[in-house]
PDB file of all heavy atoms in Angstrom:
ATOM      1  N   ALA A   1       6.927 -14.885 -13.213  1.00 97.00           N
ATOM      2  CA  ALA A   1       6.551 -15.692 -14.371  1.00 97.00           C
ATOM      3  C   ALA A   1       5.752 -14.915 -15.407  1.00 97.00           C
ATOM      4  O   ALA A   1       5.435 -15.456 -16.471  1.00 97.00           O
ATOM      5  CB  ALA A   1       5.744 -16.912 -13.910  1.00 97.00           C
ATOM      6  N   GLY A   2       5.407 -13.662 -15.123  1.00 97.00           N
ATOM      7  CA  GLY A   2       4.700 -12.843 -16.095  1.00 97.00           C
ATOM      8  C   GLY A   2       3.211 -12.727 -15.888  1.00 97.00           C
ATOM      9  O   GLY A   2       2.516 -12.143 -16.733  1.00 97.00           O
ATOM     10  N   VAL A   3       2.678 -13.246 -14.774  1.00 98.00           N
ATOM     11  CA  VAL A   3       1.275 -13.006 -14.437  1.00 98.00           C
ATOM     12  C   VAL A   3       1.154 -11.545 -14.011  1.00 98.00           C
ATOM     13  O   VAL A   3       1.914 -11.083 -13.145  1.00 98.00           O
ATOM     14  CB  VAL A   3       0.799 -13.942 -13.309  1.00 98.00           C
ATOM     15  CG1 VAL A   3      -0.645 -13.632 -12.924  1.00 98.00           C
ATOM     16  CG2 VAL A   3       0.945 -15.397 -13.724  1.00 98.00           C
ATOM     17  N   VAL A   4       0.228 -10.813 -14.588  1.00 98.00           N
ATOM     18  CA  VAL A   4       0.065  -9.396 -14.258  1.00 98.00           C
ATOM     19  C   VAL A   4      -0.647  -9.278 -12.911  1.00 98.00           C
ATOM     20  O   VAL A   4      -1.713  -9.854 -12.705  1.00 98.00           O
ATOM     21  CB  VAL A   4      -0.731  -8.658 -15.346  1.00 98.00           C
ATOM     22  CG1 VAL A   4      -1.019  -7.211 -14.929  1.00 98.00           C
ATOM     23  CG2 VAL A   4       0.032  -8.694 -16.664  1.00 98.00           C
ATOM     24  N   LEU A   5      -0.047  -8.523 -12.003  1.00 98.00           N
ATOM     25  CA  LEU A   5      -0.633  -8.277 -10.686  1.00 98.00           C
ATOM     26  C   LEU A   5      -1.255  -6.890 -10.679  1.00 98.00           C
ATOM     27  O   LEU A   5      -0.614  -5.915 -11.089  1.00 98.00           O
ATOM     28  CB  LEU A   5       0.431  -8.374  -9.592  1.00 98.00           C
ATOM     29  CG  LEU A   5       1.282  -9.642  -9.564  1.00 98.00           C
ATOM     30  CD1 LEU A   5       2.268  -9.590  -8.399  1.00 98.00           C
ATOM     31  CD2 LEU A   5       0.421 -10.896  -9.481  1.00 98.00           C
ATOM     32  N   THR A   6      -2.494  -6.801 -10.220  1.00 98.00           N
ATOM     33  CA  THR A   6      -3.150  -5.502 -10.109  1.00 98.00           C
ATOM     34  C   THR A   6      -3.979  -5.485  -8.844  1.00 98.00           C
ATOM     35  O   THR A   6      -4.161  -6.500  -8.173  1.00 98.00           O
ATOM     36  CB  THR A   6      -3.995  -5.190 -11.355  1.00 98.00           C
ATOM     37  OG1 THR A   6      -4.381  -3.815 -11.329  1.00 98.00           O
ATOM     38  CG2 THR A   6      -5.247  -6.061 -11.428  1.00 98.00           C
ATOM     39  N   GLY A   7      -4.489  -4.309  -8.509  1.00 98.00           N
ATOM     40  CA  GLY A   7      -5.308  -4.203  -7.308  1.00 98.00           C
ATOM     41  C   GLY A   7      -5.550  -2.763  -6.943  1.00 98.00           C
ATOM     42  O   GLY A   7      -4.949  -1.833  -7.497  1.00 98.00           O
ATOM     43  N   VAL A   8      -6.459  -2.590  -5.982  1.00 98.00           N
ATOM     44  CA  VAL A   8      -6.888  -1.271  -5.557  1.00 98.00           C
ATOM     45  C   VAL A   8      -6.648  -1.114  -4.064  1.00 98.00           C
ATOM     46  O   VAL A   8      -6.905  -2.038  -3.277  1.00 98.00           O
ATOM     47  CB  VAL A   8      -8.375  -1.041  -5.893  1.00 98.00           C
ATOM     48  CG1 VAL A   8      -9.273  -2.147  -5.348  1.00 98.00           C
ATOM     49  CG2 VAL A   8      -8.856   0.324  -5.391  1.00 98.00           C
ATOM     50  N   SER A   9      -6.138   0.039  -3.652  1.00 98.00           N
ATOM     51  CA  SER A   9      -5.988   0.393  -2.239  1.00 98.00           C
ATOM     52  C   SER A   9      -5.068  -0.596  -1.530  1.00 98.00           C
ATOM     53  O   SER A   9      -3.870  -0.629  -1.828  1.00 98.00           O
ATOM     54  CB  SER A   9      -7.371   0.498  -1.585  1.00 98.00           C
ATOM     55  OG  SER A   9      -7.302   1.121  -0.338  1.00 98.00           O
ATOM     56  N   ALA A  10      -5.590  -1.419  -0.622  1.00 98.00           N
ATOM     57  CA  ALA A  10      -4.743  -2.448  -0.014  1.00 98.00           C
ATOM     58  C   ALA A  10      -4.110  -3.330  -1.078  1.00 98.00           C
ATOM     59  O   ALA A  10      -2.969  -3.795  -0.918  1.00 98.00           O
ATOM     60  CB  ALA A  10      -5.567  -3.315   0.948  1.00 98.00           C
ATOM     61  N   GLY A  11      -4.841  -3.540  -2.182  1.00 98.00           N
ATOM     62  CA  GLY A  11      -4.334  -4.326  -3.299  1.00 98.00           C
ATOM     63  C   GLY A  11      -3.344  -3.569  -4.160  1.00 98.00           C
ATOM     64  O   GLY A  11      -2.861  -4.102  -5.160  1.00 98.00           O
ATOM     65  N   SER A  12      -3.027  -2.344  -3.771  1.00 98.00           N
ATOM     66  CA  SER A  12      -1.967  -1.553  -4.396  1.00 98.00           C
ATOM     67  C   SER A  12      -0.772  -1.443  -3.454  1.00 98.00           C
ATOM     68  O   SER A  12       0.369  -1.704  -3.830  1.00 98.00           O
ATOM     69  CB  SER A  12      -2.493  -0.153  -4.739  1.00 98.00           C
ATOM     70  OG  SER A  12      -1.486   0.692  -5.230  1.00 98.00           O
ATOM     71  N   ILE A  13      -1.049  -1.101  -2.201  1.00 98.00           N
ATOM     72  CA  ILE A  13       0.025  -0.941  -1.212  1.00 98.00           C
ATOM     73  C   ILE A  13       0.812  -2.234  -1.035  1.00 98.00           C
ATOM     74  O   ILE A  13       2.028  -2.216  -0.862  1.00 98.00           O
ATOM     75  CB  ILE A  13      -0.564  -0.502   0.142  1.00 98.00           C
ATOM     76  CG1 ILE A  13      -1.224   0.876   0.030  1.00 98.00           C
ATOM     77  CG2 ILE A  13       0.516  -0.463   1.227  1.00 98.00           C
ATOM     78  CD1 ILE A  13      -2.031   1.259   1.254  1.00 98.00           C
ATOM     79  N   CYS A  14       0.124  -3.381  -1.090  1.00 98.00           N
ATOM     80  CA  CYS A  14       0.738  -4.657  -0.730  1.00 98.00           C
ATOM     81  C   CYS A  14       1.988  -4.978  -1.542  1.00 98.00           C
ATOM     82  O   CYS A  14       2.922  -5.614  -1.033  1.00 98.00           O
ATOM     83  CB  CYS A  14      -0.268  -5.794  -0.845  1.00 98.00           C
ATOM     84  SG  CYS A  14      -0.916  -6.088  -2.519  1.00 98.00           S
ATOM     85  N   TRP A  15       2.057  -4.542  -2.784  1.00 99.00           N
ATOM     86  CA  TRP A  15       3.205  -4.877  -3.635  1.00 99.00           C
ATOM     87  C   TRP A  15       4.447  -4.066  -3.269  1.00 99.00           C
ATOM     88  O   TRP A  15       5.558  -4.422  -3.645  1.00 99.00           O
ATOM     89  CB  TRP A  15       2.873  -4.633  -5.106  1.00 99.00           C
ATOM     90  CG  TRP A  15       1.520  -5.083  -5.535  1.00 99.00           C
ATOM     91  CD1 TRP A  15       0.509  -4.314  -6.029  1.00 99.00           C
ATOM     92  CD2 TRP A  15       1.008  -6.427  -5.519  1.00 99.00           C
ATOM     93  NE1 TRP A  15      -0.600  -5.079  -6.308  1.00 99.00           N
ATOM     94  CE2 TRP A  15      -0.315  -6.389  -6.002  1.00 99.00           C
ATOM     95  CE3 TRP A  15       1.538  -7.661  -5.132  1.00 99.00           C
ATOM     96  CZ2 TRP A  15      -1.122  -7.512  -6.119  1.00 99.00           C
ATOM     97  CZ3 TRP A  15       0.741  -8.796  -5.243  1.00 99.00           C
ATOM     98  CH2 TRP A  15      -0.564  -8.716  -5.732  1.00 99.00           C
ATOM     99  N   HIS A  16       4.259  -2.984  -2.544  1.00 98.00           N
ATOM    100  CA  HIS A  16       5.314  -2.033  -2.223  1.00 98.00           C
ATOM    101  C   HIS A  16       5.940  -2.347  -0.862  1.00 98.00           C
ATOM    102  O   HIS A  16       5.538  -3.282  -0.173  1.00 98.00           O
ATOM    103  CB  HIS A  16       4.746  -0.612  -2.216  1.00 98.00           C
ATOM    104  CG  HIS A  16       4.182  -0.159  -3.524  1.00 98.00           C
ATOM    105  ND1 HIS A  16       2.948  -0.581  -3.988  1.00 98.00           N
ATOM    106  CD2 HIS A  16       4.674   0.675  -4.474  1.00 98.00           C
ATOM    107  CE1 HIS A  16       2.706  -0.014  -5.167  1.00 98.00           C
ATOM    108  NE2 HIS A  16       3.735   0.749  -5.486  1.00 98.00           N
ATOM    109  N   VAL A  17       6.883  -1.498  -0.456  1.00 98.00           N
ATOM    110  CA  VAL A  17       7.481  -1.597   0.884  1.00 98.00           C
ATOM    111  C   VAL A  17       6.447  -1.259   1.952  1.00 98.00           C
ATOM    112  O   VAL A  17       6.412  -1.867   3.025  1.00 98.00           O
ATOM    113  CB  VAL A  17       8.701  -0.664   0.991  1.00 98.00           C
ATOM    114  CG1 VAL A  17       9.199  -0.583   2.431  1.00 98.00           C
ATOM    115  CG2 VAL A  17       9.817  -1.141   0.070  1.00 98.00           C
ATOM    116  N   GLY A  18       5.603  -0.289   1.679  1.00 98.00           N
ATOM    117  CA  GLY A  18       4.590   0.121   2.653  1.00 98.00           C
ATOM    118  C   GLY A  18       3.844   1.337   2.182  1.00 98.00           C
ATOM    119  O   GLY A  18       3.954   1.758   1.028  1.00 98.00           O
ATOM    120  N   GLY A  19       3.074   1.917   3.093  1.00 98.00           N
ATOM    121  CA  GLY A  19       2.272   3.083   2.768  1.00 98.00           C
ATOM    122  C   GLY A  19       1.502   3.550   3.976  1.00 98.00           C
ATOM    123  O   GLY A  19       1.928   3.344   5.120  1.00 98.00           O
ATOM    124  N   THR A  20       0.359   4.176   3.741  1.00 98.00           N
ATOM    125  CA  THR A  20      -0.512   4.623   4.821  1.00 98.00           C
ATOM    126  C   THR A  20      -1.771   3.763   4.826  1.00 98.00           C
ATOM    127  O   THR A  20      -2.280   3.391   3.767  1.00 98.00           O
ATOM    128  CB  THR A  20      -0.903   6.097   4.651  1.00 98.00           C
ATOM    129  OG1 THR A  20      -1.579   6.271   3.395  1.00 98.00           O
ATOM    130  CG2 THR A  20       0.346   6.981   4.680  1.00 98.00           C
ATOM    131  N   THR A  21      -2.281   3.479   6.023  1.00 98.00           N
ATOM    132  CA  THR A  21      -3.408   2.551   6.120  1.00 98.00           C
ATOM    133  C   THR A  21      -4.342   2.918   7.264  1.00 98.00           C
ATOM    134  O   THR A  21      -3.911   3.467   8.284  1.00 98.00           O
ATOM    135  CB  THR A  21      -2.912   1.109   6.323  1.00 98.00           C
ATOM    136  OG1 THR A  21      -4.038   0.219   6.378  1.00 98.00           O
ATOM    137  CG2 THR A  21      -2.112   0.963   7.609  1.00 98.00           C
ATOM    138  N   ASP A  22      -5.627   2.579   7.096  1.00 97.00           N
ATOM    139  CA  ASP A  22      -6.590   2.659   8.184  1.00 97.00           C
ATOM    140  C   ASP A  22      -6.878   1.273   8.756  1.00 97.00           C
ATOM    141  O   ASP A  22      -7.901   1.066   9.409  1.00 97.00           O
ATOM    142  CB  ASP A  22      -7.883   3.337   7.721  1.00 97.00           C
ATOM    143  CG  ASP A  22      -8.552   2.631   6.547  1.00 97.00           C
ATOM    144  OD1 ASP A  22      -8.068   1.552   6.127  1.00 97.00           O
ATOM    145  OD2 ASP A  22      -9.565   3.140   6.041  1.00 97.00           O
ATOM    146  N   SER A  23      -5.965   0.332   8.522  1.00 98.00           N
ATOM    147  CA  SER A  23      -6.139  -1.029   9.042  1.00 98.00           C
ATOM    148  C   SER A  23      -6.265  -1.062  10.563  1.00 98.00           C
ATOM    149  O   SER A  23      -6.867  -1.987  11.123  1.00 98.00           O
ATOM    150  CB  SER A  23      -4.945  -1.907   8.645  1.00 98.00           C
ATOM    151  OG  SER A  23      -4.828  -2.051   7.253  1.00 98.00           O
ATOM    152  N   PHE A  24      -5.689  -0.072  11.244  1.00 98.00           N
ATOM    153  CA  PHE A  24      -5.632  -0.092  12.701  1.00 98.00           C
ATOM    154  C   PHE A  24      -6.638   0.850  13.356  1.00 98.00           C
ATOM    155  O   PHE A  24      -6.725   0.915  14.582  1.00 98.00           O
ATOM    156  CB  PHE A  24      -4.215   0.264  13.171  1.00 98.00           C
ATOM    157  CG  PHE A  24      -3.155  -0.588  12.528  1.00 98.00           C
ATOM    158  CD1 PHE A  24      -2.349  -0.073  11.528  1.00 98.00           C
ATOM    159  CD2 PHE A  24      -2.986  -1.914  12.910  1.00 98.00           C
ATOM    160  CE1 PHE A  24      -1.368  -0.862  10.934  1.00 98.00           C
ATOM    161  CE2 PHE A  24      -2.022  -2.707  12.311  1.00 98.00           C
ATOM    162  CZ  PHE A  24      -1.212  -2.181  11.328  1.00 98.00           C
ATOM    163  N   GLY A  25      -7.379   1.600  12.550  1.00 97.00           N
ATOM    164  CA  GLY A  25      -8.350   2.538  13.094  1.00 97.00           C
ATOM    165  C   GLY A  25      -8.521   3.731  12.184  1.00 97.00           C
ATOM    166  O   GLY A  25      -7.843   3.855  11.158  1.00 97.00           O
ATOM    167  N   PRO A  26      -9.440   4.660  12.551  1.00 95.00           N
ATOM    168  CA  PRO A  26      -9.735   5.792  11.677  1.00 95.00           C
ATOM    169  C   PRO A  26      -8.579   6.773  11.527  1.00 95.00           C
ATOM    170  O   PRO A  26      -8.525   7.504  10.531  1.00 95.00           O
ATOM    171  CB  PRO A  26     -10.942   6.460  12.349  1.00 95.00           C
ATOM    172  CG  PRO A  26     -10.919   5.976  13.765  1.00 95.00           C
ATOM    173  CD  PRO A  26     -10.334   4.613  13.726  1.00 95.00           C
ATOM    174  N   GLU A  27      -7.655   6.821  12.495  1.00 96.00           N
ATOM    175  CA  GLU A  27      -6.459   7.631  12.340  1.00 96.00           C
ATOM    176  C   GLU A  27      -5.434   6.828  11.550  1.00 96.00           C
ATOM    177  O   GLU A  27      -5.013   5.744  11.973  1.00 96.00           O
ATOM    178  CB  GLU A  27      -5.890   8.027  13.706  1.00 96.00           C
ATOM    179  CG  GLU A  27      -6.780   8.961  14.500  1.00 96.00           C
ATOM    180  CD  GLU A  27      -6.961  10.307  13.816  1.00 96.00           C
ATOM    181  OE1 GLU A  27      -5.969  10.825  13.245  1.00 96.00           O
ATOM    182  OE2 GLU A  27      -8.092  10.827  13.847  1.00 96.00           O
ATOM    183  N   LEU A  28      -5.052   7.344  10.396  1.00 97.00           N
ATOM    184  CA  LEU A  28      -4.135   6.605   9.535  1.00 97.00           C
ATOM    185  C   LEU A  28      -2.793   6.385  10.222  1.00 97.00           C
ATOM    186  O   LEU A  28      -2.315   7.228  10.967  1.00 97.00           O
ATOM    187  CB  LEU A  28      -3.917   7.348   8.219  1.00 97.00           C
ATOM    188  CG  LEU A  28      -5.122   7.533   7.300  1.00 97.00           C
ATOM    189  CD1 LEU A  28      -4.680   8.183   6.000  1.00 97.00           C
ATOM    190  CD2 LEU A  28      -5.818   6.226   7.023  1.00 97.00           C
ATOM    191  N   ARG A  29      -2.194   5.236   9.914  1.00 98.00           N
ATOM    192  CA  ARG A  29      -0.876   4.898  10.438  1.00 98.00           C
ATOM    193  C   ARG A  29      -0.019   4.331   9.311  1.00 98.00           C
ATOM    194  O   ARG A  29      -0.544   3.860   8.298  1.00 98.00           O
ATOM    195  CB  ARG A  29      -1.003   3.865  11.569  1.00 98.00           C
ATOM    196  CG  ARG A  29      -1.581   4.424  12.853  1.00 98.00           C
ATOM    197  CD  ARG A  29      -1.916   3.350  13.859  1.00 98.00           C
ATOM    198  NE  ARG A  29      -0.823   2.426  14.108  1.00 98.00           N
ATOM    199  CZ  ARG A  29      -0.892   1.378  14.958  1.00 98.00           C
ATOM    200  NH1 ARG A  29      -2.016   1.159  15.620  1.00 98.00           N
ATOM    201  NH2 ARG A  29       0.135   0.582  15.125  1.00 98.00           N
ATOM    202  N   PRO A  30       1.295   4.345   9.501  1.00 98.00           N
ATOM    203  CA  PRO A  30       2.155   3.732   8.478  1.00 98.00           C
ATOM    204  C   PRO A  30       2.111   2.223   8.553  1.00 98.00           C
ATOM    205  O   PRO A  30       1.899   1.636   9.627  1.00 98.00           O
ATOM    206  CB  PRO A  30       3.553   4.252   8.845  1.00 98.00           C
ATOM    207  CG  PRO A  30       3.489   4.520  10.313  1.00 98.00           C
ATOM    208  CD  PRO A  30       2.088   4.988  10.567  1.00 98.00           C
ATOM    209  N   ILE A  31       2.307   1.602   7.429  1.00 98.00           N
ATOM    210  CA  ILE A  31       2.577   0.169   7.380  1.00 98.00           C
ATOM    211  C   ILE A  31       3.859  -0.012   6.576  1.00 98.00           C
ATOM    212  O   ILE A  31       4.037   0.630   5.540  1.00 98.00           O
ATOM    213  CB  ILE A  31       1.403  -0.637   6.798  1.00 98.00           C
ATOM    214  CG1 ILE A  31       1.622  -2.126   7.025  1.00 98.00           C
ATOM    215  CG2 ILE A  31       1.132  -0.302   5.335  1.00 98.00           C
ATOM    216  CD1 ILE A  31       0.362  -2.950   7.006  1.00 98.00           C
ATOM    217  N   THR A  32       4.778  -0.810   7.079  1.00 98.00           N
ATOM    218  CA  THR A  32       6.120  -0.878   6.498  1.00 98.00           C
ATOM    219  C   THR A  32       6.538  -2.307   6.170  1.00 98.00           C
ATOM    220  O   THR A  32       7.703  -2.537   5.845  1.00 98.00           O
ATOM    221  CB  THR A  32       7.152  -0.252   7.457  1.00 98.00           C
ATOM    222  OG1 THR A  32       7.100  -0.941   8.716  1.00 98.00           O
ATOM    223  CG2 THR A  32       6.869   1.225   7.690  1.00 98.00           C
ATOM    224  N   ASN A  33       5.617  -3.253   6.243  1.00 98.00           N
ATOM    225  CA  ASN A  33       5.972  -4.659   5.993  1.00 98.00           C
ATOM    226  C   ASN A  33       5.278  -5.212   4.754  1.00 98.00           C
ATOM    227  O   ASN A  33       4.827  -6.354   4.725  1.00 98.00           O
ATOM    228  CB  ASN A  33       5.653  -5.525   7.210  1.00 98.00           C
ATOM    229  CG  ASN A  33       4.150  -5.634   7.483  1.00 98.00           C
ATOM    230  OD1 ASN A  33       3.390  -4.752   7.125  1.00 98.00           O
ATOM    231  ND2 ASN A  33       3.749  -6.711   8.133  1.00 98.00           N
ATOM    232  N   GLY A  34       5.166  -4.372   3.711  1.00 98.00           N
ATOM    233  CA  GLY A  34       4.610  -4.857   2.451  1.00 98.00           C
ATOM    234  C   GLY A  34       5.470  -5.948   1.838  1.00 98.00           C
ATOM    235  O   GLY A  34       6.568  -6.252   2.334  1.00 98.00           O
ATOM    236  N   LEU A  35       4.993  -6.536   0.764  1.00 98.00           N
ATOM    237  CA  LEU A  35       5.727  -7.631   0.133  1.00 98.00           C
ATOM    238  C   LEU A  35       7.074  -7.184  -0.418  1.00 98.00           C
ATOM    239  O   LEU A  35       7.996  -7.999  -0.545  1.00 98.00           O
ATOM    240  CB  LEU A  35       4.902  -8.241  -1.012  1.00 98.00           C
ATOM    241  CG  LEU A  35       3.565  -8.883  -0.644  1.00 98.00           C
ATOM    242  CD1 LEU A  35       2.976  -9.581  -1.864  1.00 98.00           C
ATOM    243  CD2 LEU A  35       3.701  -9.861   0.511  1.00 98.00           C
ATOM    244  N   GLY A  36       7.196  -5.911  -0.779  1.00 98.00           N
ATOM    245  CA  GLY A  36       8.473  -5.408  -1.264  1.00 98.00           C
ATOM    246  C   GLY A  36       8.859  -5.914  -2.646  1.00 98.00           C
ATOM    247  O   GLY A  36      10.041  -5.882  -2.985  1.00 98.00           O
ATOM    248  N   LEU A  37       7.880  -6.370  -3.433  1.00 98.00           N
ATOM    249  CA  LEU A  37       8.197  -6.666  -4.827  1.00 98.00           C
ATOM    250  C   LEU A  37       8.705  -5.399  -5.504  1.00 98.00           C
ATOM    251  O   LEU A  37       9.551  -5.461  -6.400  1.00 98.00           O
ATOM    252  CB  LEU A  37       6.960  -7.190  -5.559  1.00 98.00           C
ATOM    253  CG  LEU A  37       6.304  -8.470  -5.021  1.00 98.00           C
ATOM    254  CD1 LEU A  37       5.126  -8.862  -5.904  1.00 98.00           C
ATOM    255  CD2 LEU A  37       7.293  -9.595  -4.893  1.00 98.00           C
ATOM    256  N   LEU A  38       8.168  -4.268  -5.073  1.00 98.00           N
ATOM    257  CA  LEU A  38       8.584  -2.965  -5.557  1.00 98.00           C
ATOM    258  C   LEU A  38       9.284  -2.226  -4.421  1.00 98.00           C
ATOM    259  O   LEU A  38       8.763  -2.193  -3.302  1.00 98.00           O
ATOM    260  CB  LEU A  38       7.362  -2.160  -6.026  1.00 98.00           C
ATOM    261  CG  LEU A  38       6.496  -2.859  -7.076  1.00 98.00           C
ATOM    262  CD1 LEU A  38       5.197  -2.108  -7.286  1.00 98.00           C
ATOM    263  CD2 LEU A  38       7.264  -3.006  -8.387  1.00 98.00           C
ATOM    264  N   PRO A  39      10.443  -1.614  -4.660  1.00 98.00           N
ATOM    265  CA  PRO A  39      11.235  -1.013  -3.583  1.00 98.00           C
ATOM    266  C   PRO A  39      10.780   0.382  -3.179  1.00 98.00           C
ATOM    267  O   PRO A  39      11.538   1.136  -2.572  1.00 98.00           O
ATOM    268  CB  PRO A  39      12.639  -0.968  -4.187  1.00 98.00           C
ATOM    269  CG  PRO A  39      12.405  -0.744  -5.648  1.00 98.00           C
ATOM    270  CD  PRO A  39      11.156  -1.541  -5.960  1.00 98.00           C
ATOM    271  N   TRP A  40       9.535   0.724  -3.491  1.00 98.00           N
ATOM    272  CA  TRP A  40       8.997   2.052  -3.247  1.00 98.00           C
ATOM    273  C   TRP A  40       7.890   1.985  -2.194  1.00 98.00           C
ATOM    274  O   TRP A  40       7.351   0.913  -1.907  1.00 98.00           O
ATOM    275  CB  TRP A  40       8.420   2.643  -4.543  1.00 98.00           C
ATOM    276  CG  TRP A  40       9.254   2.404  -5.745  1.00 98.00           C
ATOM    277  CD1 TRP A  40       9.050   1.467  -6.725  1.00 98.00           C
ATOM    278  CD2 TRP A  40      10.469   3.081  -6.095  1.00 98.00           C
ATOM    279  NE1 TRP A  40      10.043   1.523  -7.665  1.00 98.00           N
ATOM    280  CE2 TRP A  40      10.943   2.509  -7.304  1.00 98.00           C
ATOM    281  CE3 TRP A  40      11.204   4.123  -5.515  1.00 98.00           C
ATOM    282  CZ2 TRP A  40      12.096   2.937  -7.938  1.00 98.00           C
ATOM    283  CZ3 TRP A  40      12.351   4.553  -6.144  1.00 98.00           C
ATOM    284  CH2 TRP A  40      12.789   3.972  -7.333  1.00 98.00           C
ATOM    285  N   SER A  41       7.509   3.143  -1.661  1.00 98.00           N
ATOM    286  CA  SER A  41       6.294   3.236  -0.864  1.00 98.00           C
ATOM    287  C   SER A  41       5.138   3.633  -1.768  1.00 98.00           C
ATOM    288  O   SER A  41       5.333   3.986  -2.933  1.00 98.00           O
ATOM    289  CB  SER A  41       6.461   4.236   0.279  1.00 98.00           C
ATOM    290  OG  SER A  41       6.789   5.522  -0.217  1.00 98.00           O
ATOM    291  N   ASN A  42       3.924   3.578  -1.228  1.00 98.00           N
ATOM    292  CA  ASN A  42       2.738   3.783  -2.049  1.00 98.00           C
ATOM    293  C   ASN A  42       1.668   4.518  -1.256  1.00 98.00           C
ATOM    294  O   ASN A  42       1.301   4.091  -0.160  1.00 98.00           O
ATOM    295  CB  ASN A  42       2.204   2.434  -2.531  1.00 98.00           C
ATOM    296  CG  ASN A  42       1.013   2.549  -3.469  1.00 98.00           C
ATOM    297  OD1 ASN A  42       0.064   1.788  -3.358  1.00 98.00           O
ATOM    298  ND2 ASN A  42       1.048   3.471  -4.405  1.00 98.00           N
ATOM    299  N   GLY A  43       1.187   5.608  -1.823  1.00 98.00           N
ATOM    300  CA  GLY A  43       0.077   6.341  -1.227  1.00 98.00           C
ATOM    301  C   GLY A  43      -1.172   6.182  -2.076  1.00 98.00           C
ATOM    302  O   GLY A  43      -1.136   6.413  -3.290  1.00 98.00           O
ATOM    303  N   VAL A  44      -2.267   5.774  -1.461  1.00 98.00           N
ATOM    304  CA  VAL A  44      -3.529   5.568  -2.182  1.00 98.00           C
ATOM    305  C   VAL A  44      -4.568   6.585  -1.704  1.00 98.00           C
ATOM    306  O   VAL A  44      -4.401   7.224  -0.664  1.00 98.00           O
ATOM    307  CB  VAL A  44      -4.055   4.127  -1.994  1.00 98.00           C
ATOM    308  CG1 VAL A  44      -3.095   3.127  -2.628  1.00 98.00           C
ATOM    309  CG2 VAL A  44      -4.271   3.798  -0.518  1.00 98.00           C
ATOM    310  N   HIS A  45      -5.642   6.729  -2.483  1.00 98.00           N
ATOM    311  CA  HIS A  45      -6.744   7.656  -2.148  1.00 98.00           C
ATOM    312  C   HIS A  45      -6.195   9.032  -1.799  1.00 98.00           C
ATOM    313  O   HIS A  45      -6.644   9.691  -0.853  1.00 98.00           O
ATOM    314  CB  HIS A  45      -7.575   7.095  -0.988  1.00 98.00           C
ATOM    315  CG  HIS A  45      -8.048   5.700  -1.197  1.00 98.00           C
ATOM    316  ND1 HIS A  45      -8.749   5.307  -2.317  1.00 98.00           N
ATOM    317  CD2 HIS A  45      -7.893   4.574  -0.432  1.00 98.00           C
ATOM    318  CE1 HIS A  45      -9.025   4.011  -2.227  1.00 98.00           C
ATOM    319  NE2 HIS A  45      -8.510   3.548  -1.105  1.00 98.00           N
ATOM    320  N   TYR A  46      -5.255   9.486  -2.591  1.00 98.00           N
ATOM    321  CA  TYR A  46      -4.465  10.663  -2.257  1.00 98.00           C
ATOM    322  C   TYR A  46      -5.299  11.941  -2.229  1.00 98.00           C
ATOM    323  O   TYR A  46      -4.979  12.887  -1.522  1.00 98.00           O
ATOM    324  CB  TYR A  46      -3.339  10.780  -3.285  1.00 98.00           C
ATOM    325  CG  TYR A  46      -2.064  11.417  -2.809  1.00 98.00           C
ATOM    326  CD1 TYR A  46      -1.395  10.967  -1.672  1.00 98.00           C
ATOM    327  CD2 TYR A  46      -1.499  12.468  -3.535  1.00 98.00           C
ATOM    328  CE1 TYR A  46      -0.208  11.541  -1.271  1.00 98.00           C
ATOM    329  CE2 TYR A  46      -0.306  13.041  -3.134  1.00 98.00           C
ATOM    330  CZ  TYR A  46       0.334  12.579  -2.000  1.00 98.00           C
ATOM    331  OH  TYR A  46       1.528  13.150  -1.605  1.00 98.00           O
ATOM    332  N   ASP A  47      -6.363  11.966  -3.021  1.00 96.00           N
ATOM    333  CA  ASP A  47      -7.172  13.179  -3.119  1.00 96.00           C
ATOM    334  C   ASP A  47      -8.507  13.087  -2.401  1.00 96.00           C
ATOM    335  O   ASP A  47      -9.237  14.073  -2.320  1.00 96.00           O
ATOM    336  CB  ASP A  47      -7.421  13.530  -4.589  1.00 96.00           C
ATOM    337  CG  ASP A  47      -8.254  12.468  -5.310  1.00 96.00           C
ATOM    338  OD1 ASP A  47      -8.254  11.295  -4.862  1.00 96.00           O
ATOM    339  OD2 ASP A  47      -8.889  12.806  -6.329  1.00 96.00           O
ATOM    340  N   SER A  48      -8.855  11.913  -1.873  1.00 95.00           N
ATOM    341  CA  SER A  48     -10.213  11.729  -1.355  1.00 95.00           C
ATOM    342  C   SER A  48     -10.287  11.553   0.153  1.00 95.00           C
ATOM    343  O   SER A  48     -11.383  11.608   0.718  1.00 95.00           O
ATOM    344  CB  SER A  48     -10.871  10.519  -2.034  1.00 95.00           C
ATOM    345  OG  SER A  48     -10.162   9.328  -1.731  1.00 95.00           O
TER     346      SER A  48
END
């Protein structure tokens, strides 16, 4: 409907197919069940 969606980190990955996450612990793991509004994956905090 044209509402602009934005967000940071988890609020960025969620719109995509998936990405990398520390949701499960300090060792990062993949997450692949994003909303899929966007058909891409997403990497956040890439430099930090």
Side-chain angles (χ1 to χ4, degrees):
V3 177
V4 174
L5 307 181
T6 192
V8 53
S9 194
S12 175
I13 296 170
C14 63
W15 318 118
H16 299 77
V17 171
T20 59
T21 182
D22 58 4
S23 297
F24 307 105
E27 294 296 321
L28 296 185
R29 288 170 51 181
I31 191 157
T32 58
N33 67 334
L35 298 187
L37 300 182
L38 305 170
W40 318 102
S41 58
N42 184 222
V44 295
H45 308 307
Y46 210 53
D47 64 336
S48 63

